[in-house]
Amino acid sequence: MHLVVCAKQIPDPDTPPSAFKIDEASNSVIPAPGISPILSQFDGIAAEAALRIKEAGGDDAKVTVISMGADSARAAIKQVLAMGADEGVLLNDDAFEDGDSYTTAKVLASAIRELGDVDAVFCGRQAADWDMGQVGLLLAEELGWASAIIAKDISYADGNVSVQRVLTDGFETVQMALPAVMTVSNEFGEPRYPKLPQIMAAAKKTVTQYSAAELGLDAADVGASGSRLKIEKLFIPETDSNVEFMGGDTPQEQAAALVQRLQADKLI
Amino acid sequence: MTQATSKKSADDLQSNTFVGSVKLLGAWWAPALWLSGMGVFASSRAGSTPGRDTFFNINQPWIVYVFMAALVGLLTYGFVRHASLWMIGRPTDGVFRNFRNRLQNVGRFGLGQDKVRRDRYAGIMHWCISSSIIVLTIVTAQVAIQDDTPLDFLHGPYYLFFSFYGDLFGLIGLIGVGMSLYRRYFVSHHRIRWDERLEDHLIIVGLGLILVSGFVVEAARIIETELVSHPDWARWSFVSWGLAHLINSFGFTTGSIDNPESQILNLHKWSWWIHVIFAFSWLGMIVFTKLDHLIFAPVNAFFLRTDSPGRLSEIKDIEEQEVFGVGYIQDFTWKQLFELDACVRCGRCTEVCPANIAGQPLSPMHLIQDLKGHLAEVGPSIQEHGHLTGDAGRDVSPIAMIGDVIKDESLWACRTCGACVQECPVLIEHVPTIVDMRRFLVMNEARLPANAQQALENIEMRGHPWKGTALERTTWMDGLGDVPLFDGSQEYLYWVGCSGSLVERNLPITKSVFKLLREAGTSFGVLGQEETCNGDPARRLGNEYLFQILAQQLIETFKAKGVQRVITNCPHCFNTFKNEYPQFDGKFEVLHHTEFLAKALSDGDLKPKYAVTADITYHDSCYLGRMNGTYDAPRQIIELVPGANLVEMQRNMSKGLCCGAGGGNMWQEEIGERRVNHVRTEEAVSTGASQVISNCPFCIQMFEDGVPSIQPEEEGRIKPFDVAELLETAVFGPASTEISDPEE
């Protein structure tokens, strides 16, 4: 069985708000000084899900981690390799830059087709930077596979996966025949802490790299030029809070003043 | 140099000097040395009349030598048996380096029993017993020498003196035995009964019987040979002389030519044999019981590390290793296995362990004993299989050392505060042993508490352990004017640390230190955004690999920037830079801010002008205090603040109790009856002080967290502050500081 984990390297969402800055002219995020990019945490959970299936599936199961991104994304790939994935693939090409969910799914699908024998793909429910939550579904569409998103539990038996999905008002269990795409939510559980021998082994593993041409993709169809999504304006919303103390000597007077004030502002 | 401000405590393992050792030897072992000297002297001038027949009334004295041979055989067997188990361990680095210091440690801790005396009652008791055993062994040896060698000295004035001190130390021994019996049988819940075994009773009751039977033998002989004919000799054996009078008052028959089977002679004969058989059996127990500490404790004092207790061992060539840390008993060094045998189950370590005090699942004594039991259980089969490496075949036992024998949660409950190591009278070093097992759990098994894992991941990803902080490393600089960045031109690097810059409560402390450094005219700079975790929490949580990466990076940064002297905010950073970075060729002069500020005060660079009229109690952080021996500098500062009145807590200085955050417990859920910081806060509150002053951002946070639980009423709460905050108020006046409301 061949399982694929899609992993994205993102700017650390745990950056202090004061250090988060954007360039409004180019509609892009300015990397915060001294803060390194990290593996999107949902993708770590997706890796955990794939590894659990692999461990339950026996020795012939293999996990490949794919990341589309700059050379720095090797760190994210190594992290998943250290968790126990077997092979790493980096999709690195200037043409891939500034794409949207659609082009990302397109590039990932090409890579998965290139790998050939893939049975299942695991993505995070969303990348923790833009929080779109689109790539998993679009990837399934592109591949023509079944999909189940926002999984909290996944089990495998006889060529089928049973996926427990998180809904707004409960859970839903669906069964799919492989091949299929799944996106994994934080309800699934924490990703494992890598063991040092595996970290050492991961450091020695080579990461295969593909460019657009190697995947048979036309540069015009991917990245910024292939994007269907255009950012009109990127800005940090202004948040403002004012505190006004209600006058009055007794709690009753204060309450009355509050009601008047709220009515005046048409809030009640 | 600021050595003057970091005066080492007498308890500090580093501070022993040769003179000190000699003094201790004098205080504790003068009687034995003195008496032996007298023996040699007297033997050279022998020739007067008083004396006795060495084997009076005993028909087959040669049997004693059979016993002796058996004892030697038994001791040899025991040693070989023990040693073969130790040897399954890994090699121990540098146990013969610093030979002189090691000999001094044998003198100070082995012969001088310096640690034993930390409990006064036990110290006196133990000295009575041990000195009595030593002196009476010398007494007995002299009898053997008199009998079996041409030397003839046991007569004349020396014989009388010999009789006197033999009785004196017999009496001292009995006093010790009495104290011991009292403690064991009449004091409820005493720590020595936390792991009580049959041997404990046998050892102490046996020793009592040996001493008593010895006096009976001597009394019976005195009745027969001296009481009538030489009462002036008999009086020198003052205890037996009294006993002889007592026995005589019952009117037993004494021996004569017509009555060779008299009651007294029979009493003498029987008690002599009892005495001899008990004495040899008792010595034989060395092989099978905790009595082996007679030998192992002084030897373990020799093996005691001579570097700082704040330094953990480095895993050399970590990338070449197959197994990390200690997961199997044979992964310990032989020194670590050896010291298991020295444990006497006295319970001192457990008594002072903060986890144990709070009812959490760790007792250092039981941990050591459990490891010792595990070694005895699986050691022989490991010997049989040879010294195995690699995971395959290491598991010769179905019992897992970590998990079955030692529970994971016990290892995680450790604060690495060093209180157990500080108290152990036989010099066991528990903390490195615990951290070695943590290393296995973290690096080899990736099995660790979720919060600890998060802290480590955060250090890996973000270079600090404070997940979710809204602060930046430069936030504290707001409102301080020009904050110089270190560029190599300044004398000192002021190292703020993650806790000093990323935790809200600690910003006022960082600001205080900064203002005081500036006021004192210090040439210093900071690293700002370039600071990163120095690795202390990673190392103590067991991720040595992460620690080494961080340490090497930071050492490179320091060297590139030309850092030579560092002032740290935090005692953990201080300890890591000072004691652990030299392992990676990072040698810097490191001062904790309290040391620097105390020096600045004594040099007159800072002048405390404003009074802080308050009763203040001082909490020693483990890594400034016990690990580095700096007890005085912070107290000097407090004492120089006008109006400040220092009130000590019951547990202070080297006996200080951890705040509960050490060893990575800042980021763990506590399991157990209570939280350590609540216990410590209670102790601070009970002094009646209005402020509890410390020197460590973790301690301060732990107090801040503990106070509302201990004092639910906001009115009259004790306020936790750093020494620097106190001094800032004294130097700049109350208005200049956020000291009154750290929440702001």
Side-chain angles (χ1 to χ4, degrees), chain A residues 219-251:
Chain A
D221 293 342
V222 294
S225 47
S227 277
R228 298 176 176 193
L229 183 88
K230 301 287 173 220
I231 297 173
E232 294 291 334
K233 189 176 182 214
L234 188 66
F235 62 97
I236 297 172
E238 296 267 325
T239 54
D240 199 14
S241 63
N242 287 311
V243 180
E244 196 176 318
F245 288 93
M246 290 298 125
D249 293 333
T250 66

mmCIF file of all heavy atoms in Angstrom, chain A residues 219-251:
data_model
loop_
_atom_site.group_PDB
_atom_site.id
_atom_site.type_symbol
_atom_site.label_atom_id
_atom_site.label_comp_id
_atom_site.label_asym_id
_atom_site.label_seq_id
_atom_site.Cartn_x
_atom_site.Cartn_y
_atom_site.Cartn_z
ATOM 1 N N ALA A 219 4.142 25.882 -17.526
ATOM 2 C CA ALA A 219 4.322 26.930 -16.528
ATOM 3 C C ALA A 219 3.149 27.915 -16.506
ATOM 4 O O ALA A 219 2.829 28.506 -15.484
ATOM 5 C CB ALA A 219 5.635 27.670 -16.759
ATOM 6 N N ALA A 220 2.488 28.073 -17.617
ATOM 7 C CA ALA A 220 1.376 29.025 -17.686
ATOM 8 C C ALA A 220 0.143 28.518 -16.942
ATOM 9 O O ALA A 220 -0.710 29.302 -16.533
ATOM 10 C CB ALA A 220 1.006 29.287 -19.148
ATOM 11 N N ASP A 221 0.093 27.185 -16.712
ATOM 12 C CA ASP A 221 -1.086 26.614 -16.054
ATOM 13 C C ASP A 221 -0.954 26.580 -14.538
ATOM 14 O O ASP A 221 -1.894 26.215 -13.834
ATOM 15 C CB ASP A 221 -1.320 25.168 -16.540
ATOM 16 C CG ASP A 221 -1.723 25.148 -18.018
ATOM 17 O OD1 ASP A 221 -2.139 26.221 -18.504
ATOM 18 O OD2 ASP A 221 -1.591 24.089 -18.633
ATOM 19 N N VAL A 222 0.249 26.835 -14.035
ATOM 20 C CA VAL A 222 0.462 26.725 -12.588
ATOM 21 C C VAL A 222 0.919 28.049 -12.006
ATOM 22 O O VAL A 222 1.164 29.009 -12.755
ATOM 23 C CB VAL A 222 1.498 25.603 -12.265
ATOM 24 C CG1 VAL A 222 0.943 24.248 -12.644
ATOM 25 C CG2 VAL A 222 2.821 25.875 -12.948
ATOM 26 N N GLY A 223 1.031 28.085 -10.693
ATOM 27 C CA GLY A 223 1.519 29.282 -10.016
ATOM 28 C C GLY A 223 0.596 30.458 -10.259
ATOM 29 O O GLY A 223 -0.599 30.301 -10.518
ATOM 30 N N ALA A 224 1.190 31.651 -10.196
ATOM 31 C CA ALA A 224 0.410 32.883 -10.293
ATOM 32 C C ALA A 224 -0.368 32.936 -11.615
ATOM 33 O O ALA A 224 -1.538 33.336 -11.648
ATOM 34 C CB ALA A 224 1.331 34.089 -10.166
ATOM 35 N N SER A 225 0.299 32.497 -12.697
ATOM 36 C CA SER A 225 -0.365 32.640 -13.999
ATOM 37 C C SER A 225 -1.548 31.689 -14.159
ATOM 38 O O SER A 225 -2.485 31.995 -14.879
ATOM 39 C CB SER A 225 0.645 32.439 -15.129
ATOM 40 O OG SER A 225 1.430 31.293 -14.889
ATOM 41 N N GLY A 226 -1.507 30.559 -13.479
ATOM 42 C CA GLY A 226 -2.620 29.620 -13.588
ATOM 43 C C GLY A 226 -3.709 29.833 -12.564
ATOM 44 O O GLY A 226 -4.741 29.168 -12.583
ATOM 45 N N SER A 227 -3.475 30.753 -11.649
ATOM 46 C CA SER A 227 -4.403 30.943 -10.529
ATOM 47 C C SER A 227 -5.747 31.461 -10.962
ATOM 48 O O SER A 227 -5.833 32.292 -11.869
ATOM 49 C CB SER A 227 -3.817 31.956 -9.523
ATOM 50 O OG SER A 227 -2.948 31.317 -8.675
ATOM 51 N N ARG A 228 -6.771 30.958 -10.334
ATOM 52 C CA ARG A 228 -8.113 31.480 -10.595
ATOM 53 C C ARG A 228 -8.509 32.490 -9.526
ATOM 54 O O ARG A 228 -9.517 33.174 -9.659
ATOM 55 C CB ARG A 228 -9.111 30.330 -10.603
ATOM 56 C CG ARG A 228 -8.800 29.347 -11.720
ATOM 57 C CD ARG A 228 -9.708 28.160 -11.689
ATOM 58 N NE ARG A 228 -9.459 27.287 -12.819
ATOM 59 C CZ ARG A 228 -10.261 26.303 -13.181
ATOM 60 N NH1 ARG A 228 -11.355 26.063 -12.512
ATOM 61 N NH2 ARG A 228 -9.962 25.542 -14.206
ATOM 62 N N LEU A 229 -7.720 32.528 -8.484
ATOM 63 C CA LEU A 229 -8.018 33.424 -7.367
ATOM 64 C C LEU A 229 -7.078 34.631 -7.433
ATOM 65 O O LEU A 229 -5.867 34.448 -7.547
ATOM 66 C CB LEU A 229 -7.801 32.664 -6.060
ATOM 67 C CG LEU A 229 -8.109 33.387 -4.774
ATOM 68 C CD1 LEU A 229 -9.575 33.190 -4.413
ATOM 69 C CD2 LEU A 229 -7.228 32.857 -3.649
ATOM 70 N N LYS A 230 -7.637 35.804 -7.388
ATOM 71 C CA LYS A 230 -6.793 37.001 -7.345
ATOM 72 C C LYS A 230 -7.041 37.742 -6.038
ATOM 73 O O LYS A 230 -8.189 37.965 -5.662
ATOM 74 C CB LYS A 230 -7.123 37.934 -8.538
ATOM 75 C CG LYS A 230 -6.938 37.311 -9.908
ATOM 76 C CD LYS A 230 -5.453 37.139 -10.269
ATOM 77 C CE LYS A 230 -5.299 36.353 -11.575
ATOM 78 N NZ LYS A 230 -4.203 35.382 -11.560
ATOM 79 N N ILE A 231 -5.992 38.126 -5.384
ATOM 80 C CA ILE A 231 -6.152 38.886 -4.143
ATOM 81 C C ILE A 231 -6.326 40.355 -4.493
ATOM 82 O O ILE A 231 -5.461 40.957 -5.141
ATOM 83 C CB ILE A 231 -4.937 38.709 -3.216
ATOM 84 C CG1 ILE A 231 -4.807 37.243 -2.793
ATOM 85 C CG2 ILE A 231 -5.050 39.614 -1.979
ATOM 86 C CD1 ILE A 231 -3.555 36.928 -2.027
ATOM 87 N N GLU A 232 -7.451 40.903 -4.112
ATOM 88 C CA GLU A 232 -7.713 42.315 -4.390
ATOM 89 C C GLU A 232 -7.001 43.194 -3.387
ATOM 90 O O GLU A 232 -6.366 44.172 -3.728
ATOM 91 C CB GLU A 232 -9.226 42.603 -4.322
ATOM 92 C CG GLU A 232 -10.047 41.919 -5.396
ATOM 93 C CD GLU A 232 -9.772 42.504 -6.775
ATOM 94 O OE1 GLU A 232 -9.364 43.676 -6.859
ATOM 95 O OE2 GLU A 232 -9.958 41.778 -7.784
ATOM 96 N N LYS A 233 -7.148 42.817 -2.131
ATOM 97 C CA LYS A 233 -6.547 43.658 -1.089
ATOM 98 C C LYS A 233 -6.198 42.809 0.119
ATOM 99 O O LYS A 233 -7.026 41.995 0.566
ATOM 100 C CB LYS A 233 -7.527 44.759 -0.681
ATOM 101 C CG LYS A 233 -6.900 45.786 0.237
ATOM 102 C CD LYS A 233 -7.848 46.920 0.554
ATOM 103 C CE LYS A 233 -7.119 47.934 1.435
ATOM 104 N NZ LYS A 233 -7.991 48.569 2.392
ATOM 105 N N LEU A 234 -4.988 42.975 0.615
ATOM 106 C CA LEU A 234 -4.573 42.234 1.822
ATOM 107 C C LEU A 234 -4.291 43.258 2.920
ATOM 108 O O LEU A 234 -3.525 44.197 2.705
ATOM 109 C CB LEU A 234 -3.307 41.417 1.518
ATOM 110 C CG LEU A 234 -2.860 40.452 2.602
ATOM 111 C CD1 LEU A 234 -3.876 39.332 2.775
ATOM 112 C CD2 LEU A 234 -1.498 39.866 2.252
ATOM 113 N N PHE A 235 -4.979 43.129 4.020
ATOM 114 C CA PHE A 235 -4.776 44.131 5.082
ATOM 115 C C PHE A 235 -5.021 43.499 6.452
ATOM 116 O O PHE A 235 -5.687 42.461 6.570
ATOM 117 C CB PHE A 235 -5.716 45.331 4.882
ATOM 118 C CG PHE A 235 -7.171 44.952 4.953
ATOM 119 C CD1 PHE A 235 -7.875 45.118 6.157
ATOM 120 C CD2 PHE A 235 -7.839 44.424 3.849
ATOM 121 C CE1 PHE A 235 -9.215 44.765 6.220
ATOM 122 C CE2 PHE A 235 -9.171 44.082 3.917
ATOM 123 C CZ PHE A 235 -9.862 44.244 5.113
ATOM 124 N N ILE A 236 -4.460 44.122 7.456
ATOM 125 C CA ILE A 236 -4.715 43.677 8.820
ATOM 126 C C ILE A 236 -5.912 44.453 9.342
ATOM 127 O O ILE A 236 -5.885 45.690 9.345
ATOM 128 C CB ILE A 236 -3.498 43.919 9.729
ATOM 129 C CG1 ILE A 236 -2.300 43.097 9.231
ATOM 130 C CG2 ILE A 236 -3.817 43.575 11.197
ATOM 131 C CD1 ILE A 236 -0.997 43.396 9.934
ATOM 132 N N PRO A 237 -6.993 43.773 9.714
ATOM 133 C CA PRO A 237 -8.181 44.523 10.147
ATOM 134 C C PRO A 237 -7.878 45.346 11.393
ATOM 135 O O PRO A 237 -7.126 44.919 12.270
ATOM 136 C CB PRO A 237 -9.210 43.424 10.434
ATOM 137 C CG PRO A 237 -8.427 42.175 10.578
ATOM 138 C CD PRO A 237 -7.169 42.339 9.795
ATOM 139 N N GLU A 238 -8.441 46.530 11.384
ATOM 140 C CA GLU A 238 -8.278 47.390 12.559
ATOM 141 C C GLU A 238 -9.194 46.861 13.654
ATOM 142 O O GLU A 238 -10.374 46.617 13.419
ATOM 143 C CB GLU A 238 -8.699 48.826 12.213
ATOM 144 C CG GLU A 238 -7.838 49.498 11.167
ATOM 145 C CD GLU A 238 -6.716 50.298 11.812
ATOM 146 O OE1 GLU A 238 -6.947 50.872 12.893
ATOM 147 O OE2 GLU A 238 -5.601 50.324 11.234
ATOM 148 N N THR A 239 -8.653 46.660 14.809
ATOM 149 C CA THR A 239 -9.537 46.324 15.924
ATOM 150 C C THR A 239 -9.402 47.423 16.956
ATOM 151 O O THR A 239 -8.317 47.916 17.223
ATOM 152 C CB THR A 239 -9.168 44.973 16.570
ATOM 153 O OG1 THR A 239 -7.783 45.024 16.917
ATOM 154 C CG2 THR A 239 -9.419 43.810 15.652
ATOM 155 N N ASP A 240 -10.524 47.825 17.443
ATOM 156 C CA ASP A 240 -10.513 48.941 18.385
ATOM 157 C C ASP A 240 -11.470 48.606 19.514
ATOM 158 O O ASP A 240 -12.541 48.049 19.290
ATOM 159 C CB ASP A 240 -10.975 50.203 17.647
ATOM 160 C CG ASP A 240 -10.551 51.450 18.398
ATOM 161 O OD1 ASP A 240 -9.691 51.309 19.302
ATOM 162 O OD2 ASP A 240 -11.083 52.534 18.084
ATOM 163 N N SER A 241 -11.103 48.906 20.704
ATOM 164 C CA SER A 241 -12.045 48.695 21.802
ATOM 165 C C SER A 241 -11.989 49.883 22.749
ATOM 166 O O SER A 241 -10.920 50.394 23.056
ATOM 167 C CB SER A 241 -11.730 47.400 22.548
ATOM 168 O OG SER A 241 -10.454 47.483 23.129
ATOM 169 N N ASN A 242 -13.151 50.361 23.085
ATOM 170 C CA ASN A 242 -13.244 51.468 24.033
ATOM 171 C C ASN A 242 -14.006 50.995 25.256
ATOM 172 O O ASN A 242 -14.977 50.254 25.138
ATOM 173 C CB ASN A 242 -13.982 52.634 23.410
ATOM 174 C CG ASN A 242 -13.122 53.337 22.372
ATOM 175 O OD1 ASN A 242 -11.961 53.657 22.642
ATOM 176 N ND2 ASN A 242 -13.672 53.529 21.185
ATOM 177 N N VAL A 243 -13.572 51.435 26.396
ATOM 178 C CA VAL A 243 -14.272 51.071 27.619
ATOM 179 C C VAL A 243 -14.914 52.328 28.193
ATOM 180 O O VAL A 243 -14.264 53.367 28.298
ATOM 181 C CB VAL A 243 -13.303 50.450 28.648
ATOM 182 C CG1 VAL A 243 -14.066 50.077 29.918
ATOM 183 C CG2 VAL A 243 -12.621 49.223 28.069
ATOM 184 N N GLU A 244 -16.164 52.218 28.463
ATOM 185 C CA GLU A 244 -16.875 53.347 29.047
ATOM 186 C C GLU A 244 -17.463 52.873 30.367
ATOM 187 O O GLU A 244 -18.097 51.808 30.407
ATOM 188 C CB GLU A 244 -17.996 53.762 28.078
ATOM 189 C CG GLU A 244 -18.567 55.123 28.344
ATOM 190 C CD GLU A 244 -19.596 55.471 27.267
ATOM 191 O OE1 GLU A 244 -19.342 55.182 26.069
ATOM 192 O OE2 GLU A 244 -20.643 56.002 27.632
ATOM 193 N N PHE A 245 -17.220 53.586 31.425
ATOM 194 C CA PHE A 245 -17.784 53.187 32.713
ATOM 195 C C PHE A 245 -19.123 53.870 32.934
ATOM 196 O O PHE A 245 -19.249 55.074 32.711
ATOM 197 C CB PHE A 245 -16.819 53.511 33.848
ATOM 198 C CG PHE A 245 -15.629 52.602 33.861
ATOM 199 C CD1 PHE A 245 -14.455 52.946 33.207
ATOM 200 C CD2 PHE A 245 -15.693 51.365 34.520
ATOM 201 C CE1 PHE A 245 -13.364 52.089 33.199
ATOM 202 C CE2 PHE A 245 -14.614 50.512 34.514
ATOM 203 C CZ PHE A 245 -13.446 50.868 33.858
ATOM 204 N N MET A 246 -20.100 53.065 33.326
ATOM 205 C CA MET A 246 -21.428 53.611 33.573
ATOM 206 C C MET A 246 -21.470 54.291 34.944
ATOM 207 O O MET A 246 -20.983 53.717 35.928
ATOM 208 C CB MET A 246 -22.483 52.493 33.542
ATOM 209 C CG MET A 246 -22.698 51.930 32.143
ATOM 210 S SD MET A 246 -23.300 53.174 30.997
ATOM 211 C CE MET A 246 -22.110 53.082 29.714
ATOM 212 N N GLY A 247 -22.034 55.497 34.958
ATOM 213 C CA GLY A 247 -22.137 56.199 36.227
ATOM 214 C C GLY A 247 -23.272 55.648 37.080
ATOM 215 O O GLY A 247 -23.979 54.704 36.672
ATOM 216 N N GLY A 248 -23.437 56.216 38.254
ATOM 217 C CA GLY A 248 -24.525 55.777 39.138
ATOM 218 C C GLY A 248 -23.978 55.307 40.462
ATOM 219 O O GLY A 248 -22.912 54.705 40.507
ATOM 220 N N ASP A 249 -24.716 55.620 41.522
ATOM 221 C CA ASP A 249 -24.231 55.295 42.855
ATOM 222 C C ASP A 249 -24.581 53.870 43.268
ATOM 223 O O ASP A 249 -23.884 53.257 44.063
ATOM 224 C CB ASP A 249 -24.811 56.281 43.883
ATOM 225 C CG ASP A 249 -24.251 57.681 43.649
ATOM 226 O OD1 ASP A 249 -23.113 57.747 43.103
ATOM 227 O OD2 ASP A 249 -24.929 58.675 43.966
ATOM 228 N N THR A 250 -25.704 53.382 42.737
ATOM 229 C CA THR A 250 -26.115 52.039 43.132
ATOM 230 C C THR A 250 -26.083 51.130 41.907
ATOM 231 O O THR A 250 -26.096 51.618 40.773
ATOM 232 C CB THR A 250 -27.560 52.045 43.684
ATOM 233 O OG1 THR A 250 -28.427 52.394 42.581
ATOM 234 C CG2 THR A 250 -27.743 53.046 44.811
ATOM 235 N N PRO A 251 -26.062 49.843 42.115
ATOM 236 C CA PRO A 251 -26.103 48.908 40.976
ATOM 237 C C PRO A 251 -27.331 49.148 40.106
ATOM 238 O O PRO A 251 -27.255 49.050 38.889
ATOM 239 C CB PRO A 251 -26.160 47.539 41.652
ATOM 240 C CG PRO A 251 -25.515 47.740 42.980
ATOM 241 C CD PRO A 251 -25.839 49.145 43.382
#
